[in-house]
Short mmCIF file of all heavy atoms in Angstrom, two decimals:
data_model
loop_
_atom_site.label_atom_id
_atom_site.label_comp_id
_atom_site.label_asym_id
_atom_site.label_seq_id
_atom_site.Cartn_x
_atom_site.Cartn_y
_atom_site.Cartn_z
N ASP A 4 -41.64 -14.83 -65.86
CA ASP A 4 -41.06 -16.17 -65.72
C ASP A 4 -40.71 -16.36 -64.25
O ASP A 4 -39.76 -15.77 -63.74
CB ASP A 4 -39.82 -16.30 -66.60
CG ASP A 4 -39.20 -17.68 -66.56
OD1 ASP A 4 -39.84 -18.58 -65.98
OD2 ASP A 4 -38.09 -17.85 -67.09
N GLY A 5 -41.49 -17.17 -63.57
CA GLY A 5 -41.32 -17.33 -62.13
C GLY A 5 -42.62 -17.01 -61.43
O GLY A 5 -43.69 -17.47 -61.83
N PHE A 6 -42.53 -16.18 -60.40
CA PHE A 6 -43.71 -15.85 -59.59
C PHE A 6 -43.98 -14.35 -59.64
O PHE A 6 -43.14 -13.54 -59.27
CB PHE A 6 -43.49 -16.28 -58.14
CG PHE A 6 -43.23 -17.75 -57.98
CD1 PHE A 6 -41.92 -18.23 -57.92
CD2 PHE A 6 -44.27 -18.66 -57.92
CE1 PHE A 6 -41.67 -19.59 -57.79
CE2 PHE A 6 -44.03 -20.02 -57.79
CZ PHE A 6 -42.73 -20.49 -57.72
N ALA A 7 -45.17 -13.99 -60.09
CA ALA A 7 -45.55 -12.58 -60.14
C ALA A 7 -46.10 -12.10 -58.81
O ALA A 7 -46.15 -10.89 -58.56
CB ALA A 7 -46.60 -12.36 -61.24
N ASP A 8 -46.48 -13.01 -57.93
CA ASP A 8 -47.10 -12.63 -56.66
C ASP A 8 -46.47 -13.42 -55.52
O ASP A 8 -45.93 -14.52 -55.72
CB ASP A 8 -48.60 -12.89 -56.71
CG ASP A 8 -49.37 -12.13 -55.64
OD1 ASP A 8 -48.73 -11.37 -54.88
OD2 ASP A 8 -50.61 -12.28 -55.57
N GLY A 9 -46.52 -12.84 -54.31
CA GLY A 9 -46.07 -13.54 -53.12
C GLY A 9 -44.58 -13.53 -52.88
O GLY A 9 -44.08 -14.26 -52.02
N ASN A 10 -43.83 -12.71 -53.61
CA ASN A 10 -42.38 -12.65 -53.43
C ASN A 10 -42.04 -11.80 -52.20
O ASN A 10 -42.45 -10.63 -52.11
CB ASN A 10 -41.71 -12.05 -54.67
CG ASN A 10 -41.92 -12.90 -55.90
OD1 ASN A 10 -41.55 -14.06 -55.93
ND2 ASN A 10 -42.55 -12.32 -56.92
N THR A 11 -41.30 -12.36 -51.27
CA THR A 11 -40.96 -11.62 -50.05
C THR A 11 -39.77 -10.69 -50.30
O THR A 11 -38.91 -10.95 -51.13
CB THR A 11 -40.59 -12.59 -48.92
OG1 THR A 11 -39.49 -13.40 -49.31
CG2 THR A 11 -41.77 -13.47 -48.56
N ILE A 12 -39.77 -9.58 -49.56
CA ILE A 12 -38.66 -8.63 -49.61
C ILE A 12 -37.75 -8.95 -48.43
O ILE A 12 -38.01 -8.56 -47.30
CB ILE A 12 -39.18 -7.18 -49.55
CG1 ILE A 12 -40.18 -6.94 -50.69
CG2 ILE A 12 -38.03 -6.19 -49.63
CD1 ILE A 12 -40.86 -5.58 -50.64
N ASP A 13 -36.68 -9.67 -48.71
CA ASP A 13 -35.83 -10.20 -47.65
C ASP A 13 -34.68 -9.28 -47.26
O ASP A 13 -34.10 -9.44 -46.18
CB ASP A 13 -35.26 -11.55 -48.09
CG ASP A 13 -36.35 -12.59 -48.34
OD1 ASP A 13 -37.31 -12.62 -47.57
OD2 ASP A 13 -36.23 -13.34 -49.33
N ASP A 14 -34.34 -8.33 -48.12
CA ASP A 14 -33.22 -7.43 -47.85
C ASP A 14 -33.71 -6.26 -47.01
O ASP A 14 -34.36 -5.33 -47.53
CB ASP A 14 -32.61 -6.95 -49.16
CG ASP A 14 -31.31 -6.18 -48.95
OD1 ASP A 14 -30.95 -5.92 -47.78
OD2 ASP A 14 -30.65 -5.83 -49.95
N ASN A 15 -33.45 -6.28 -45.73
CA ASN A 15 -33.87 -5.19 -44.85
C ASN A 15 -32.87 -5.02 -43.71
O ASN A 15 -32.22 -5.98 -43.29
CB ASN A 15 -35.28 -5.42 -44.31
CG ASN A 15 -35.38 -6.68 -43.47
OD1 ASN A 15 -35.07 -6.68 -42.27
ND2 ASN A 15 -35.83 -7.77 -44.09
N GLU A 16 -32.76 -3.80 -43.21
CA GLU A 16 -31.85 -3.50 -42.11
C GLU A 16 -32.38 -2.31 -41.32
O GLU A 16 -32.91 -1.35 -41.87
CB GLU A 16 -30.44 -3.19 -42.64
CG GLU A 16 -30.38 -2.16 -43.75
CD GLU A 16 -29.00 -2.03 -44.36
OE1 GLU A 16 -28.12 -2.84 -44.02
OE2 GLU A 16 -28.80 -1.11 -45.19
N GLU A 17 -32.25 -2.41 -39.99
CA GLU A 17 -32.74 -1.36 -39.11
C GLU A 17 -31.79 -0.17 -39.11
O GLU A 17 -30.57 -0.32 -39.30
CB GLU A 17 -32.91 -1.89 -37.69
CG GLU A 17 -34.00 -2.94 -37.55
CD GLU A 17 -34.17 -3.39 -36.12
OE1 GLU A 17 -33.29 -3.08 -35.29
OE2 GLU A 17 -35.19 -4.06 -35.82
N SER A 18 -32.36 1.00 -38.90
CA SER A 18 -31.54 2.21 -38.78
C SER A 18 -30.66 2.11 -37.53
O SER A 18 -31.00 1.43 -36.56
CB SER A 18 -32.42 3.45 -38.71
OG SER A 18 -33.28 3.39 -37.58
N ILE A 19 -29.53 2.81 -37.57
CA ILE A 19 -28.56 2.76 -36.48
C ILE A 19 -28.39 4.15 -35.87
O ILE A 19 -28.04 5.11 -36.58
CB ILE A 19 -27.19 2.25 -36.97
CG1 ILE A 19 -27.32 0.86 -37.58
CG2 ILE A 19 -26.18 2.24 -35.83
CD1 ILE A 19 -26.03 0.35 -38.18
N ASN A 20 -28.66 4.28 -34.58
CA ASN A 20 -28.44 5.52 -33.83
C ASN A 20 -29.16 6.73 -34.46
O ASN A 20 -28.62 7.83 -34.48
CB ASN A 20 -26.94 5.82 -33.72
CG ASN A 20 -26.19 4.75 -32.95
OD1 ASN A 20 -26.72 4.16 -32.02
ND2 ASN A 20 -24.95 4.49 -33.36
N THR A 21 -30.35 6.52 -34.97
CA THR A 21 -31.13 7.62 -35.53
C THR A 21 -32.23 8.03 -34.57
O THR A 21 -32.76 7.20 -33.82
CB THR A 21 -31.74 7.24 -36.89
OG1 THR A 21 -32.56 6.07 -36.71
CG2 THR A 21 -30.67 6.97 -37.92
N ASN A 22 -32.57 9.30 -34.62
CA ASN A 22 -33.66 9.79 -33.78
C ASN A 22 -34.99 9.19 -34.20
O ASN A 22 -35.79 8.76 -33.37
CB ASN A 22 -33.71 11.32 -33.83
CG ASN A 22 -34.83 11.88 -33.00
OD1 ASN A 22 -34.88 11.68 -31.79
ND2 ASN A 22 -35.76 12.58 -33.64
N THR A 23 -35.25 9.19 -35.52
CA THR A 23 -36.44 8.54 -36.06
C THR A 23 -36.09 7.10 -36.39
O THR A 23 -35.21 6.83 -37.21
CB THR A 23 -36.93 9.26 -37.33
OG1 THR A 23 -37.29 10.60 -37.02
CG2 THR A 23 -38.11 8.54 -37.95
N LEU A 24 -36.76 6.16 -35.74
CA LEU A 24 -36.50 4.75 -36.02
C LEU A 24 -37.10 4.37 -37.36
O LEU A 24 -38.21 4.77 -37.70
CB LEU A 24 -37.09 3.88 -34.92
CG LEU A 24 -36.57 4.09 -33.49
CD1 LEU A 24 -37.26 3.13 -32.53
CD2 LEU A 24 -35.06 3.93 -33.43
N TYR A 25 -36.37 3.58 -38.14
CA TYR A 25 -36.91 3.06 -39.39
C TYR A 25 -36.17 1.80 -39.79
O TYR A 25 -35.06 1.53 -39.33
CB TYR A 25 -36.83 4.11 -40.51
CG TYR A 25 -35.44 4.58 -40.87
CD1 TYR A 25 -34.66 3.89 -41.80
CD2 TYR A 25 -34.90 5.74 -40.29
CE1 TYR A 25 -33.39 4.33 -42.14
CE2 TYR A 25 -33.64 6.19 -40.63
CZ TYR A 25 -32.89 5.49 -41.56
OH TYR A 25 -31.63 5.92 -41.90
N THR A 26 -36.82 1.02 -40.64
CA THR A 26 -36.20 -0.17 -41.23
C THR A 26 -36.17 0.05 -42.73
O THR A 26 -37.20 0.36 -43.34
CB THR A 26 -37.00 -1.44 -40.90
OG1 THR A 26 -37.12 -1.57 -39.48
CG2 THR A 26 -36.30 -2.67 -41.47
N HIS A 27 -34.99 -0.12 -43.31
CA HIS A 27 -34.81 0.11 -44.75
C HIS A 27 -34.94 -1.21 -45.51
O HIS A 27 -34.27 -2.19 -45.19
CB HIS A 27 -33.44 0.73 -45.02
CG HIS A 27 -33.21 1.04 -46.46
ND1 HIS A 27 -33.79 2.13 -47.08
CD2 HIS A 27 -32.46 0.41 -47.42
CE1 HIS A 27 -33.41 2.16 -48.35
NE2 HIS A 27 -32.62 1.12 -48.58
#
């Protein structure tokens, strides 16, 4: 019910002060 495709993942945050950079 709604959209099965094309849904964006809006909840994201960059890592803070980590040696390996990543976005969660």
Side-chain angles (χ1 to χ4, degrees):
D4 183 8
F6 301 95
D8 199 2
N10 297 301
T11 59
I12 303 174
D13 299 320
D14 188 353
N15 61 83
E16 51 188 7
E17 293 183 347
S18 60
I19 301 175
N20 298 326
T21 57
N22 179 60
T23 298
L24 299 181
Y25 61 86
T26 304
H27 182 76

